[in-house]
Amino acid sequence: MRSFTVAAVLLLLLASSLLDGADAGYYGTKPSSSFTAIFSFGNSYADTGNFVRLAAPIIPVIPFNNPPYGETFFHKPTGRASNGRIILDFIAEAFHLPLVPPSLDTKQNFSKGANFAVVGATALDLAYFMEHNITSVPPFNSSFSVQIGWFEQLIKTSSLAKEYKADDYLSKSLFVMGEFGGNDYVFLLAANKTVDQIIRTYVPAVVKAISGGVEVRLIKLGAKRIVVPGNLPTGCIPIMLTLYASPSKKDYDRNGCLVKLNGLARYHNALLWREVRALRTKYPDTMIAYADYFKPVVKFLQKPTKFVACCGAGGKYNYNITAACGFPGATACKDPSRAVNWDGIHLTEAAYEDIADGWLRGTFAKPSILLGDPHHLIDSDLVHGPIPAAPSPPLQQQHSSSRWAAQQQHSEHAPMKILAVAVLVLVPWLLPGAHAANHSHKRPFASIFSFGDSYADTGNFVSLAAQLIPLIPFNNLPYGETFFGYPTGRASNGRLILDFIADALGLPFVPPSTAKGQDFSKGANFAVVGATALDLAYFQQQNITSRPAGVVRGAPADYLGKSLFFMGEFGGSDYVFLLAANKTVSRYTSAASLASSIVRIVVPGILPSGCTPIMLTLYASPNKEDYDRYGCLTKYDGLSRYHDDHLRSQIQALRNKHPYTNIAFAEYNRPVLAFMHRPDTFGFDGRSTLQACCGAGAGDYNYNPIAACGFPGATVVNWDGIHLTEAAYSDIAWAWLHGPFAEPPIWALASYRGCV
């Protein structure tokens, strides 16, 4: 049974509809026009199952796949981020169309529409964030532009091709565009951007991405009926109220919402409305409805109790980042129909139904979807006032102690739960993590010391080998071209995982230990191209125990305890030569962890060597059964998995033996395989995942040992047959920092205070 407030809102909606003469089709009156199909785009507020299919190969535990999601209507999880139906479902029902199937469900019939929305989707492309050095964005490539690309591919290559050729198919279809923008701003806040910076620099870009997609991609294709939703009042959402809690009452409005975050949403909505109005003028025969999320949600939240999530595990807003909905510890309220918020982020079916009713009738959308008139103008108050003349002040962050308390609480739970929570909340735990990393006086690590081979070397090999080898490929372009613009000794086109981790932790790039004149007070890198598993003697020979040059006398006694030790990968070079023996890896790991002053260590596994161009070239087989379905050599991938399994067990043994030493196992194998299996998800070219970017065009894999990258005869095609590109390293670094491919994630190490 609905609460009095929600019931009152519903009565107001009905009264307004009667006064306007608008009747909802699913209340017994036939709509003035109908649609042949519905095509939907967006993020978690619209996703009906794409994310669970997209992420299944790389994320083992997804909350939307667990009860109580879906309990109210479907009686089982469906991939929707709610207890039941969402707005898109109610719109489909109103027009007597089937519920819109997720586009990634290949068994579906898409003649009546398809839904391309994905949890975590942004308006801006992943490339935009990378170009602006914003690394807080998850590495899924599912932006608005990408989703439209999926749509274009579907209508031209699937069973829809015949319908698409009909002149009126798209003109008689309804297109629902979002919402978009909310995740963009969450990720920008996670990168420590202030509200002021976001308003000045990024909101216009986000809105342009939305309007550009509508105009250049959809209207040009023939779309005639389009719904463009605005943003929700993010300052009223339990997750944001929890993460950005303020001790100052003036930071909240009379409803209890955070003023500045709601101001950001209002500004976005005002700019978006202006773009919608401009598109209407330019395309008078196209009905473009602006649909309001902001006003109905604010109307629902007239009582403080309405801010509480239905499904959660306690706290002021029943939102707990470590026990999120869909996981042990979280429970659902007895009657979700009386709640507005479902899981701390998303709304309940009851709230979605009321908003859908307002969009259909026109209470919260002008023109209404049911009685759409392209010449009907929107109400002036729908976007909550004029566009602000000047940006609002920066968002006041949580004080540092509360941020670190949240981060410490986060670190005390199992990695898979942390991962699942990250998926659920669109990576909100990035917010405290990223903020902490960017405050120099609260850096989680004092320094980073790195060891390894060519996957971690930042210049040692070229220094050591210069006297012996006259021509070193890593000293030649195109190595280093992408980020540095020149060769740096790194075996890639740009940054390595170590660089991205240092940047995320607020530390400078880790200098090679052989470099003269460097300041090693923030760490040193001892990795060398071709290195095999090393013993403790090497560590001691490099003066770590007596502190490297630049670590001044009088440094704190816990200097090493506050440092991060990055161990590898090791073993890959051993196996290239020996194809056996992982004992040296475990022995090295054991020796390192015995140093009583070292408490935080990252130990990576090895890559799936059977997928690397050099191995595919050198060990090519005429037998198809020697390859898996993705074209990798099965035998060598099996060796990599065997190595990782044994390394993982050794690490667990060390954790048990040394409970005050926190050791994270970081995977190369699964993320690289994910790139191979789902390249489009990460923005990679699916046609050349097994090919080197830089090579001489030789063979199936663009790898030629006599004309390798950096030598005459090589040209850039897709990196060097052995190492990964900066883009791949960036994605892996993100997964090591936050999960799911580090156990525990490095950010959990950042707040480590004792036993794990």
Side-chain angles (χ1 to χ4, degrees):
M1 184 175 181
R2 304 284 178 86
S3 68
F4 175 79
T5 302
V6 176
V9 171
L10 183 57
L11 288 174
L12 288 172
L13 296 177
L14 291 170
S16 173
S17 299
L18 290 172
L19 289 173
D20 290 342
D23 294 311
Y26 63 117
Y27 283 103
T29 302
K30 185 179 179 180
S32 65
S33 62
S34 60
F35 301 104
T36 57
I38 298 177
F39 293 100
S40 169
F41 308 82
N43 56 25
S44 56
Y45 292 98
D47 189 350
T48 55
N50 281 321
F51 182 80
V52 295
R53 290 171 173 82
L54 192 67
I58 54 177
I59 300 179
V61 183
I62 301 173
F64 313 127
N65 262 345
N66 297 337
Y69 283 94
E71 67 175 11
T72 298
F73 179 80
F74 303 99
H75 307 297
K76 63 179 180 180
T78 64
R80 290 166 173 80
S82 184
N83 60 307
R85 291 164 291 181
I86 59 177
I87 291 175
L88 181 65
D89 299 318
F90 290 109
I91 292 175
E93 289 179 356
F95 291 99
H96 309 293
L97 290 169
L99 300 186
V100 186
S103 63
L104 294 181
D105 187 352
T106 56
K107 297 179 181 178
Q108 291 285 351
N109 179 353
F110 298 115
S111 62
K112 298 298 182 184
N115 183 9
F116 303 89
V118 180
V119 170
T122 55
L124 297 169
D125 286 335
L126 185 60
Y128 178 94
F129 291 103
M130 295 299 102
E131 288 168 3
H132 288 76
N133 202 30
I134 297 166
T135 57
S136 56
V137 183
F140 293 102
N141 200 28
S142 58
S143 66
F144 182 28
S145 176
V146 170
Q147 291 179 25
I148 295 177
W150 294 343
F151 165 70
E152 292 171 336
Q153 183 179 11
L154 181 71
I155 62 175
K156 293 179 181 179
T157 61
S158 72
S159 58
L160 286 184
K162 182 177 180 181
E163 285 88 347
Y164 171 64
K165 291 178 181 178
D167 292 339
D168 59 351
Y169 179 69
L170 294 187
S171 66
K172 288 186 177 180
S173 297
L174 177 67
F175 291 80
V176 184
M177 318 306 297
E179 110 12 299
F180 278 109
N183 287 330
D184 299 73
Y185 305 138
V186 166
F187 299 142
L188 288 165
L189 290 169
N192 209 32
K193 303 296 182 183
T194 65
V195 170
D196 180 73
Q197 290 173 316
I198 294 171
I199 286 177
R200 288 184 183 276
T201 305
Y202 299 103
V203 174
V206 167
V207 171
K208 278 293 184 184
I210 298 170
S211 64
V214 170
E215 178 181 17
V216 177
R217 306 285 288 276
L218 293 180
I219 294 178
K220 299 295 186 183
L221 279 173
K224 291 292 185 182
R225 297 292 183 266
I226 304 170
V227 178
V228 183
N231 278 183
L232 290 87
T234 49
C236 302
I237 299 174
I239 180 177
M240 303 304 280
L241 287 164
T242 300
L243 294 176
Y244 287 98
S246 172
S248 177
K249 291 183 178 180
K250 66 181 181 180
D251 290 334
Y252 298 86
D253 64 19
R254 61 180 181 177
N255 294 320
C257 302
L258 286 162
V259 174
K260 291 171 184 174
L261 286 176
N262 275 1
L264 172 60
R266 287 193 187 96
Y267 188 76
H268 168 96
N269 292 342
L271 288 189
L272 184 61
W273 159 230
R274 185 170 68 181
E275 289 294 317
V276 167
R277 190 166 51 187
L279 288 173
R280 284 177 177 172
T281 302
K282 189 173 182 179
Y283 303 97
D285 294 327
T286 299
M287 189 282 285
I288 308 175
Y290 174 87
D292 195 357
Y293 262 120
F294 195 106
K295 185 186 289 185
V297 173
V298 170
K299 282 182 176 291
F300 296 156
L301 301 173
Q302 297 301 313
K303 293 182 180 180
T305 56
K306 291 297 181 182
F307 287 86
V308 177
C310 172
C311 181
K316 183 177 181 180
Y317 304 102
N318 194 34
Y319 177 78
N320 186 335
I321 199 167
T322 64
C325 186
F327 288 93
T331 57
C333 57
K334 292 182 179 179
D335 187 1
S337 68
R338 297 173 62 88
V340 175
N341 193 282
W342 167 244
D343 59 9
I345 306 135
H346 310 98
L347 308 183
T348 60
E349 178 183 87
Y352 282 136
E353 182 177 9
D354 289 342
I355 296 173
D357 185 74
W359 288 10
L360 286 161
R361 298 173 180 276
T363 310
F364 298 128
K366 297 292 182 179
S368 69
I369 298 173
L370 281 170
L371 300 176
D373 178 356
H375 303 291
H376 189 141
L377 296 179
I378 196 168
D379 288 344
S380 60
D381 67 339
L382 197 57
V383 291
H384 324 290
I387 298 174
S392 61
L395 175 67
Q396 180 174 331
Q397 309 291 347
Q398 294 186 54
H399 53 85
S400 59
S401 61
S402 66
R403 285 202 309 273
W404 282 101
Q407 183 68 12
Q408 180 177 0
Q409 184 184 35
H410 160 220
S411 70
E412 294 171 349
H413 292 74
M416 286 301 101
K417 182 181 287 186
I418 294 169
L419 158 65
V421 172
V423 174
L424 169 66
V425 300
L426 307 179
V427 205
W429 39 263
L430 281 175
L431 295 170
H435 294 158
N438 282 279
H439 288 270
S440 58
H441 63 290
K442 287 291 184 181
R443 285 194 182 109
F445 297 100
S447 58
I448 298 177
F449 293 100
S450 172
F451 306 82
D453 57 13
S454 56
Y455 292 97
D457 189 353
T458 53
N460 282 319
F461 181 79
V462 294
S463 297
L464 293 171
Q467 302 297 322
L468 304 173
I469 303 174
L471 186 60
I472 301 173
F474 313 129
N475 254 348
N476 298 337
L477 288 170
Y479 284 95
E481 66 176 8
T482 298
F483 179 81
F484 302 99
Y486 55 89
T488 64
R490 290 166 172 82
S492 184
N493 59 311
R495 292 164 289 183
L496 309 178
I497 291 176
L498 180 65
D499 299 316
F500 288 107
I501 290 175
D503 186 61
L505 299 178
L507 292 168
F509 289 163
V510 186
S513 62
T514 57
K516 297 180 180 179
Q518 287 283 353
D519 177 8
F520 296 113
S521 62
K522 301 301 181 185
N525 184 10
F526 302 91
V528 180
V529 170
T532 55
L534 302 171
D535 57 19
L536 185 59
Y538 181 87
F539 179 80
Q540 295 169 332
Q541 289 166 4
Q542 302 302 325
N543 295 319
I544 293 296
T545 54
S546 59
R547 298 191 178 93
V551 181
V552 297
R553 292 182 179 180
D558 62 349
Y559 176 73
L560 294 185
K562 290 183 177 180
S563 298
L564 177 66
F565 286 77
F566 194 82
M567 320 301 287
E569 60 90 75
F570 279 112
S573 295
D574 299 73
Y575 302 140
V576 167
F577 302 126
L578 304 175
L579 295 177
N582 61 24
K583 292 182 180 180
T584 54
V585 177
S586 59
R587 183 164 63 245
Y588 175 67
T589 307
S590 176
S593 66
L594 288 173
S596 60
S597 58
I598 300 172
V599 298
R600 297 181 290 189
I601 307 170
V602 178
V603 183
I606 62 176
L607 290 85
S609 54
C611 299
T612 57
I614 182 174
M615 299 297 283
L616 287 164
T617 300
L618 297 178
Y619 291 93
S621 171
N623 300 320
K624 291 184 178 180
E625 58 266 26
D626 290 338
Y627 297 85
D628 64 20
R629 60 176 175 166
Y630 300 103
C632 300
L633 284 162
T634 307
K635 178 170 60 177
Y636 299 106
D637 280 357
L639 172 61
S640 300
R641 288 193 296 271
Y642 184 81
H643 168 98
D644 282 2
D645 288 344
H646 280 262
L647 182 59
R648 187 185 278 106
S649 66
Q650 289 289 328
I651 288 171
Q652 186 55 52
L654 289 169
R655 289 170 178 159
N656 296 336
K657 187 176 181 180
H658 305 282
Y660 290 95
T661 297
N662 199 341
I663 309 172
F665 174 72
E667 286 194 74
Y668 268 114
N669 196 289
R670 281 200 297 160
V672 172
L673 289 178
F675 300 157
M676 304 295 170
H677 299 174
R678 288 185 176 272
D680 292 344
T681 301
F682 300 91
F684 296 118
D685 185 350
R687 298 167 298 179
S688 56
T689 54
L690 296 178
Q691 290 184 344
C693 173
C694 181
D700 294 334
Y701 309 106
N702 192 30
Y703 177 77
N704 186 339
I706 63 174
C709 185
F711 285 112
T715 58
V716 174
V717 181
N718 175 351
W719 185 248
D720 61 6
I722 307 163
H723 309 97
L724 307 183
T725 61
E726 177 183 270
Y729 284 135
S730 173
D731 289 344
I732 296 173
W734 191 94
W736 287 9
L737 283 160
H738 307 291
F741 298 127
E743 307 164 13
I746 294 173
W747 270 121
L749 299 186
S751 58
Y752 174 63
R753 295 292 184 272
C755 301
V756 293

